[in-house]
């Protein structure tokens, strides 16, 4: 049986460090770091994320400022708000919640955020610094995954890592961070030929594709470490019966509640093959917010 990598416990450790950093600033007579979150429209999942972010800010003493805009907001209005937040010396970090409603250009918005306040690490300047291996604000999810792996003492040097997924938010930056730590990295994706064989080569498999239960136990090299970044809501019973064959409790929840959260990896199957696995929920999810607040503290520090 594999070890469960407890993301919630690691997020708590990261948040405690942020809380201490905030206290230290206050002891030096500086104001609390401030994070501005821009939420456009009424995507229910985004509202949940934003609520969770606000609660985490309160827990560590970071000031959270929310700006809610209607779904039919024009690009110029969003751009003007970003300009105002860039110019506001009381704001250290700016996060524009994704996805943006149809009609808004997310790249234009993200590129407009000052790189010094870009706590998501999505601005081309920060992406370029990451590519060069230089310090900058880095994407929260991969940064927090690296922190989790370091905490568990995984030696990445020389390791064969496969990152499944090539998003700007997780896949690409995760691959760069693993490369920086001297892993041999393959980025695999939906067009990769013979995905199971590629995954089976991985000593470290990071799944970030948003496809429930895609990765089967037979895709995992015995003894591998598996990091599951996917957070998927499954409502389809036929799908659930297929992907939860080795995880009867998930299937029970699906039947009882009509929906259940799961990752990109079939957790029950992975537990029988891997040496360590992150669960969903309670794995990578809580780490992302911890990474965001760590970035906010860093951005505040850079401003003083
Ligand atoms: N929506 C889902 N994940 C994220 C994230 O990491 N950052 C932002 N800005 N929006 C998201």
């Amino acid at each position: 049986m594999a070890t469960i990598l407890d993301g919630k416990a690691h997020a708590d450790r990261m948040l405690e460090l942020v809380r201490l950093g905030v206290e230290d600033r206050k002891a030096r007579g500086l104001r609390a770091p401030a994070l501005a979150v821009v939420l456009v429209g009424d995507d229910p999942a985004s509202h949940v994320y934003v609520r969770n972010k606000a609660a985490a800010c309160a827990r560590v003493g970071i000031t959270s400022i929310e700006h809610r805009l209607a779904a039919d907001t024009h690009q110029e209005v969003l751009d003007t708000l970003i300009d105002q937040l860039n110019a506001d010396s009381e704001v250290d970090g700016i996060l524009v919640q994704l996805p943006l409603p149809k009609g808004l250009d997310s790249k234009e918005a993200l590129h407009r955020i000052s790189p010094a306040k870009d706590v998501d690490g999505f601005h081309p300047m920060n992406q370029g610094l990451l590519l060069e291996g230089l310090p900058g604000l880095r994407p929260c999810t991969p940064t927090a995954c690296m922190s989790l792996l370091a905490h568990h003492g995984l030696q990445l040097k020389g390791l064969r890592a496969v990152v499944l997924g090539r998003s700007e938010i997780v896949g690409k930056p995760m691959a760069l961070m693993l490369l920086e730590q001297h892993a041999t990295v393959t980025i695999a994706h939906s067009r990769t030929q013979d995905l199971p064989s590629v995954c089976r080569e991985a000593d470290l498999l990071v799944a970030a594709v948003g496809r429930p239960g895609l990765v089967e136990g037979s895709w995992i090299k015995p003894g591998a470490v598996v990091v599951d970044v996917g957070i998927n809501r499954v409502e389809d019973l036929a799908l659930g019966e297929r992907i939860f064959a080795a995880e009867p409790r998930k299937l029970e929840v699906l039947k009882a509640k009509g929906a259940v959260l799961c990752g990109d990896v079939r957790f029950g199957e992975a537990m029988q093959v891997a040496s360590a696995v992150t669960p969903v929920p309670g794995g990578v999810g809580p780490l992302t917010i911890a990474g965001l607040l760590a970035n906010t503290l860093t951005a505040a520090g850079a401003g003083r």
Side-chain angles (χ1 to χ4, degrees):
M1 259 307 174
T3 304
I4 295 179
L5 297 176
D6 187 342
K8 171 80 174 60
H10 192 62
D12 286 344
R13 282 188 286 272
M14 289 177 70
L15 287 172
E16 181 57 14
L17 287 179
V18 175
R19 194 186 66 76
L20 292 172
V22 172
E23 286 213 335
D24 176 62
R25 278 178 62 85
K26 288 187 183 159
R28 289 186 287 127
L30 300 172
R31 65 162 170 75
L35 170 66
V37 175
V38 180
L39 177 58
V40 191
D42 28 49
D43 177 55
S46 291
H47 277 260
V48 173
Y49 289 141
V50 168
R51 228 183 9 249
N52 290 344
K53 280 170 197 158
C57 281
R59 185 172 150 191
V60 299
I62 288 179
T63 305
S64 162
I65 308 154
E66 268 176 47
H67 292 269
R68 291 176 184 242
L69 301 176
D72 61 357
T73 295
H74 287 286
Q75 186 82 38
E76 303 81 68
V77 174
L78 177 59
D79 289 351
T80 303
L81 174 58
I82 293 171
D83 291 347
Q84 283 166 358
L85 295 171
N86 281 338
D88 188 341
S89 62
E90 301 278 300
V91 169
D92 302 298
I94 304 169
L95 179 141
V96 175
Q97 183 67 32
L98 301 175
L100 288 173
K102 269 208 177 81
L104 289 175
D105 183 341
S106 54
K107 286 269 183 221
E108 183 175 332
L110 297 177
H111 290 194
R112 206 169 183 100
I113 296 172
S114 160
K117 297 189 179 188
D118 167 38
V119 283
D120 259 327
F122 295 163
H123 190 281
M125 168 69 89
N126 284 317
Q127 292 192 356
L129 290 170
L130 170 61
L131 191 70
E132 291 192 345
L134 294 172
L137 291 168
R138 294 181 167 194
C140 310
T141 303
T143 300
C145 289
M146 295 298 284
S147 169
L148 177 73
L149 295 173
H151 176 78
H152 286 277
L154 185 67
Q155 294 299 320
L156 294 168
K157 198 171 173 178
L159 210 76
R160 199 166 261 275
V162 172
V163 179
L164 192 45
R166 51 178 161 176
S167 69
E168 313 284 334
I169 296 184
V170 184
K172 287 183 196 172
M174 185 82 210
L176 289 170
M177 289 179 202
L178 290 168
L179 193 59
E180 187 179 43
Q181 296 299 315
H182 315 291
T184 300
V185 185
T186 301
I187 304 179
H189 47 80
S190 56
R191 312 273 172 90
T192 298
Q193 283 181 13
D194 196 1
L195 209 44
S197 300
V198 174
C199 290
R200 260 193 299 274
E201 288 185 1
D203 301 306
L204 169 66
L205 179 61
V206 180
V209 278
R211 295 264 310 273
L214 174 72
V215 178
E216 303 175 19
S218 65
W219 295 24
I220 297 168
K221 180 175 177 177
V225 172
V226 179
V227 175
D228 190 352
V229 183
I231 301 179
N232 311 293
R233 188 181 152 89
V234 172
E235 296 176 3
D236 179 348
L237 189 56
L239 173 66
E241 278 173 346
R242 221 172 45 245
I243 65 178
F244 302 137
E247 213 181 345
R249 286 213 19 229
K250 278 263 200 255
L251 193 56
E252 279 168 29
V253 175
L254 172 57
K255 283 179 179 163
K257 300 200 170 165
V260 70
L261 285 184
C262 74
D264 294 344
V265 177
R266 299 186 187 188
F267 179 77
E269 297 180 22
M271 283 296 288
Q272 293 166 21
V273 189
S275 64
V277 189
T278 61
V280 178
V284 173
L287 291 171
T288 298
I289 289 184
L292 172 71
L293 300 196
N295 273 355
T296 305
L297 178 64
T298 303
R304 298 271 171 167

